[in-house]
PDB file of all heavy atoms in Angstrom:
ATOM      1  N   ILE A 127     314.184 137.225 123.541  1.00 96.00           N
ATOM      2  CA  ILE A 127     312.809 137.584 123.449  1.00 96.00           C
ATOM      3  C   ILE A 127     312.186 137.850 124.835  1.00 96.00           C
ATOM      4  O   ILE A 127     311.578 138.913 125.022  1.00 96.00           O
ATOM      5  CB  ILE A 127     311.933 136.657 122.690  1.00 96.00           C
ATOM      6  CG1 ILE A 127     312.207 136.618 121.279  1.00 96.00           C
ATOM      7  CG2 ILE A 127     310.210 136.880 122.896  1.00 96.00           C
ATOM      8  CD1 ILE A 127     311.661 135.411 120.442  1.00 96.00           C
ATOM      9  N   ALA A 128     312.508 136.967 125.762  1.00 96.00           N
ATOM     10  CA  ALA A 128     312.028 137.231 127.168  1.00 96.00           C
ATOM     11  C   ALA A 128     312.477 138.338 127.811  1.00 96.00           C
ATOM     12  O   ALA A 128     311.802 139.163 128.421  1.00 96.00           O
ATOM     13  CB  ALA A 128     312.535 135.921 128.019  1.00 96.00           C
ATOM     14  N   ALA A 129     313.772 138.689 127.489  1.00 95.00           N
ATOM     15  CA  ALA A 129     314.388 139.961 128.175  1.00 95.00           C
ATOM     16  C   ALA A 129     313.655 141.226 127.437  1.00 95.00           C
ATOM     17  O   ALA A 129     313.477 142.185 128.199  1.00 95.00           O
ATOM     18  CB  ALA A 129     315.927 140.061 127.848  1.00 95.00           C
ATOM     19  N   GLY A 130     313.387 141.176 126.210  1.00 95.00           N
ATOM     20  CA  GLY A 130     312.696 142.263 125.581  1.00 95.00           C
ATOM     21  C   GLY A 130     311.413 142.433 126.162  1.00 95.00           C
ATOM     22  O   GLY A 130     310.898 143.576 126.436  1.00 95.00           O
ATOM     23  N   PHE A 131     310.607 141.304 126.434  1.00 95.00           N
ATOM     24  CA  PHE A 131     309.255 141.467 126.957  1.00 95.00           C
ATOM     25  C   PHE A 131     309.419 142.085 128.436  1.00 95.00           C
ATOM     26  O   PHE A 131     308.562 142.978 128.685  1.00 95.00           O
ATOM     27  CB  PHE A 131     308.690 140.075 127.081  1.00 95.00           C
ATOM     28  CG  PHE A 131     308.244 139.434 125.870  1.00 95.00           C
ATOM     29  CD1 PHE A 131     307.935 138.092 125.746  1.00 95.00           C
ATOM     30  CD2 PHE A 131     308.098 140.099 124.655  1.00 95.00           C
ATOM     31  CE1 PHE A 131     307.500 137.457 124.723  1.00 95.00           C
ATOM     32  CE2 PHE A 131     307.512 139.605 123.482  1.00 95.00           C
ATOM     33  CZ  PHE A 131     307.305 138.117 123.511  1.00 95.00           C
ATOM     34  N   ILE A 132     310.217 141.579 129.228  1.00 94.00           N
ATOM     35  CA  ILE A 132     310.317 142.049 130.524  1.00 94.00           C
ATOM     36  C   ILE A 132     310.735 143.451 130.551  1.00 94.00           C
ATOM     37  O   ILE A 132     310.142 144.312 131.434  1.00 94.00           O
ATOM     38  CB  ILE A 132     311.290 141.089 131.395  1.00 94.00           C
ATOM     39  CG1 ILE A 132     310.733 139.682 131.536  1.00 94.00           C
ATOM     40  CG2 ILE A 132     311.712 141.695 132.777  1.00 94.00           C
ATOM     41  CD1 ILE A 132     311.633 138.596 131.993  1.00 94.00           C
ATOM     42  N   VAL A 133     311.717 143.867 129.917  1.00 93.00           N
ATOM     43  CA  VAL A 133     312.249 145.358 129.924  1.00 93.00           C
ATOM     44  C   VAL A 133     311.254 146.121 129.423  1.00 93.00           C
ATOM     45  O   VAL A 133     310.852 147.238 129.946  1.00 93.00           O
ATOM     46  CB  VAL A 133     313.576 145.409 129.113  1.00 93.00           C
ATOM     47  CG1 VAL A 133     313.813 146.851 128.870  1.00 93.00           C
ATOM     48  CG2 VAL A 133     314.614 144.681 129.752  1.00 93.00           C
ATOM     49  N   ASP A 134     310.516 145.710 128.252  1.00 92.00           N
ATOM     50  CA  ASP A 134     309.383 146.579 127.759  1.00 92.00           C
ATOM     51  C   ASP A 134     308.314 146.812 128.755  1.00 92.00           C
ATOM     52  O   ASP A 134     307.732 147.943 128.967  1.00 92.00           O
ATOM     53  CB  ASP A 134     308.926 146.025 126.438  1.00 92.00           C
ATOM     54  CG  ASP A 134     307.930 146.896 125.842  1.00 92.00           C
ATOM     55  OD1 ASP A 134     308.202 148.095 125.570  1.00 92.00           O
ATOM     56  OD2 ASP A 134     306.801 146.500 125.549  1.00 92.00           O
ATOM     57  N   GLU A 135     307.856 145.792 129.430  1.00 90.00           N
ATOM     58  CA  GLU A 135     306.811 145.858 130.458  1.00 90.00           C
ATOM     59  C   GLU A 135     307.285 146.756 131.602  1.00 90.00           C
ATOM     60  O   GLU A 135     306.364 147.567 132.009  1.00 90.00           O
ATOM     61  CB  GLU A 135     306.344 144.522 130.900  1.00 90.00           C
ATOM     62  CG  GLU A 135     305.682 143.597 129.883  1.00 90.00           C
ATOM     63  CD  GLU A 135     304.257 144.287 129.444  1.00 90.00           C
ATOM     64  OE1 GLU A 135     303.213 144.302 130.208  1.00 90.00           O
ATOM     65  OE2 GLU A 135     304.201 144.810 128.307  1.00 90.00           O
ATOM     66  N   ILE A 136     308.371 146.594 132.005  1.00 88.00           N
ATOM     67  CA  ILE A 136     308.931 147.378 133.143  1.00 88.00           C
ATOM     68  C   ILE A 136     308.970 148.927 132.826  1.00 88.00           C
ATOM     69  O   ILE A 136     308.444 149.848 133.463  1.00 88.00           O
ATOM     70  CB  ILE A 136     310.193 147.008 133.689  1.00 88.00           C
ATOM     71  CG1 ILE A 136     309.898 145.548 134.405  1.00 88.00           C
ATOM     72  CG2 ILE A 136     310.847 147.973 134.738  1.00 88.00           C
ATOM     73  CD1 ILE A 136     311.216 144.762 134.884  1.00 88.00           C
ATOM     74  N   VAL A 137     309.596 149.127 131.592  1.00 88.00           N
ATOM     75  CA  VAL A 137     309.857 150.569 131.126  1.00 88.00           C
ATOM     76  C   VAL A 137     308.428 151.247 130.879  1.00 88.00           C
ATOM     77  O   VAL A 137     308.111 152.350 131.293  1.00 88.00           O
ATOM     78  CB  VAL A 137     310.796 150.548 130.054  1.00 88.00           C
ATOM     79  CG1 VAL A 137     310.675 151.975 129.361  1.00 88.00           C
ATOM     80  CG2 VAL A 137     312.084 150.185 130.400  1.00 88.00           C
ATOM     81  N   SER A 138     307.518 150.460 130.071  1.00 85.00           N
ATOM     82  CA  SER A 138     306.257 151.092 129.743  1.00 85.00           C
ATOM     83  C   SER A 138     305.398 151.354 131.013  1.00 85.00           C
ATOM     84  O   SER A 138     304.554 152.158 130.994  1.00 85.00           O
ATOM     85  CB  SER A 138     305.428 150.305 128.794  1.00 85.00           C
ATOM     86  OG  SER A 138     305.842 149.188 128.340  1.00 85.00           O
ATOM     87  N   ALA A 139     305.462 150.459 132.003  1.00 76.00           N
ATOM     88  CA  ALA A 139     304.679 150.698 133.234  1.00 76.00           C
ATOM     89  C   ALA A 139     305.114 152.075 133.904  1.00 76.00           C
ATOM     90  O   ALA A 139     304.266 152.754 134.446  1.00 76.00           O
ATOM     91  CB  ALA A 139     304.932 149.482 134.250  1.00 76.00           C
ATOM     92  N   LYS A 140     306.447 152.332 133.863  1.00 74.00           N
ATOM     93  CA  LYS A 140     306.880 153.603 134.361  1.00 74.00           C
ATOM     94  C   LYS A 140     306.309 154.842 133.591  1.00 74.00           C
ATOM     95  O   LYS A 140     306.177 155.974 134.094  1.00 74.00           O
ATOM     96  CB  LYS A 140     308.384 153.711 134.454  1.00 74.00           C
ATOM     97  CG  LYS A 140     308.992 152.769 135.383  1.00 74.00           C
ATOM     98  CD  LYS A 140     310.464 152.803 135.408  1.00 74.00           C
ATOM     99  CE  LYS A 140     311.047 151.943 136.525  1.00 74.00           C
ATOM    100  NZ  LYS A 140     312.452 151.938 136.546  1.00 74.00           N
ATOM    101  N   ASP A 141     306.141 154.626 132.232  1.00 66.00           N
ATOM    102  CA  ASP A 141     305.705 155.668 131.283  1.00 66.00           C
ATOM    103  C   ASP A 141     304.202 156.085 131.454  1.00 66.00           C
ATOM    104  O   ASP A 141     303.749 157.049 130.906  1.00 66.00           O
ATOM    105  CB  ASP A 141     306.016 155.337 129.892  1.00 66.00           C
ATOM    106  CG  ASP A 141     307.417 155.314 129.559  1.00 66.00           C
ATOM    107  OD1 ASP A 141     308.238 155.856 130.437  1.00 66.00           O
ATOM    108  OD2 ASP A 141     307.861 154.732 128.632  1.00 66.00           O
ATOM    109  N   GLN A 142     303.392 155.174 132.158  1.00 64.00           N
ATOM    110  CA  GLN A 142     301.971 155.243 132.241  1.00 64.00           C
ATOM    111  C   GLN A 142     301.623 156.336 133.205  1.00 64.00           C
ATOM    112  O   GLN A 142     302.149 156.309 134.357  1.00 64.00           O
ATOM    113  CB  GLN A 142     301.302 153.951 132.601  1.00 64.00           C
ATOM    114  CG  GLN A 142     301.506 152.825 131.522  1.00 64.00           C
ATOM    115  CD  GLN A 142     300.680 153.233 130.263  1.00 64.00           C
ATOM    116  OE1 GLN A 142     299.574 153.648 130.229  1.00 64.00           O
ATOM    117  NE2 GLN A 142     301.300 152.800 129.131  1.00 64.00           N
ATOM    118  N   PRO A 143     300.712 157.062 132.814  1.00 65.00           N
ATOM    119  CA  PRO A 143     300.185 158.133 133.992  1.00 65.00           C
ATOM    120  C   PRO A 143     299.399 157.279 135.037  1.00 65.00           C
ATOM    121  O   PRO A 143     298.824 156.268 134.778  1.00 65.00           O
ATOM    122  CB  PRO A 143     299.170 159.067 133.046  1.00 65.00           C
ATOM    123  CG  PRO A 143     298.847 158.343 131.919  1.00 65.00           C
ATOM    124  CD  PRO A 143     300.016 157.300 131.714  1.00 65.00           C
ATOM    125  N   PRO A 144     299.450 157.824 136.179  1.00 64.00           N
ATOM    126  CA  PRO A 144     298.661 157.061 137.271  1.00 64.00           C
ATOM    127  C   PRO A 144     297.237 157.075 137.052  1.00 64.00           C
ATOM    128  O   PRO A 144     296.646 157.971 136.370  1.00 64.00           O
ATOM    129  CB  PRO A 144     298.989 157.825 138.546  1.00 64.00           C
ATOM    130  CG  PRO A 144     299.488 159.191 138.111  1.00 64.00           C
ATOM    131  CD  PRO A 144     300.116 159.014 136.688  1.00 64.00           C
ATOM    132  N   THR A 145     296.616 156.057 137.432  1.00 62.00           N
ATOM    133  CA  THR A 145     295.150 156.031 137.323  1.00 62.00           C
ATOM    134  C   THR A 145     294.495 156.952 138.451  1.00 62.00           C
ATOM    135  O   THR A 145     294.875 157.093 139.548  1.00 62.00           O
ATOM    136  CB  THR A 145     294.519 154.558 137.647  1.00 62.00           C
ATOM    137  OG1 THR A 145     295.088 153.678 136.648  1.00 62.00           O
ATOM    138  CG2 THR A 145     293.109 154.527 137.529  1.00 62.00           C
TER     139      THR A 145
END
Side-chain angles (χ1 to χ4, degrees):
I127 290 171
F131 288 163
I132 293 167
V133 168
D134 185 56
E135 288 296 291
I136 290 169
V137 169
S138 359
K140 290 179 182 178
D141 295 340
Q142 295 291 326
T145 300

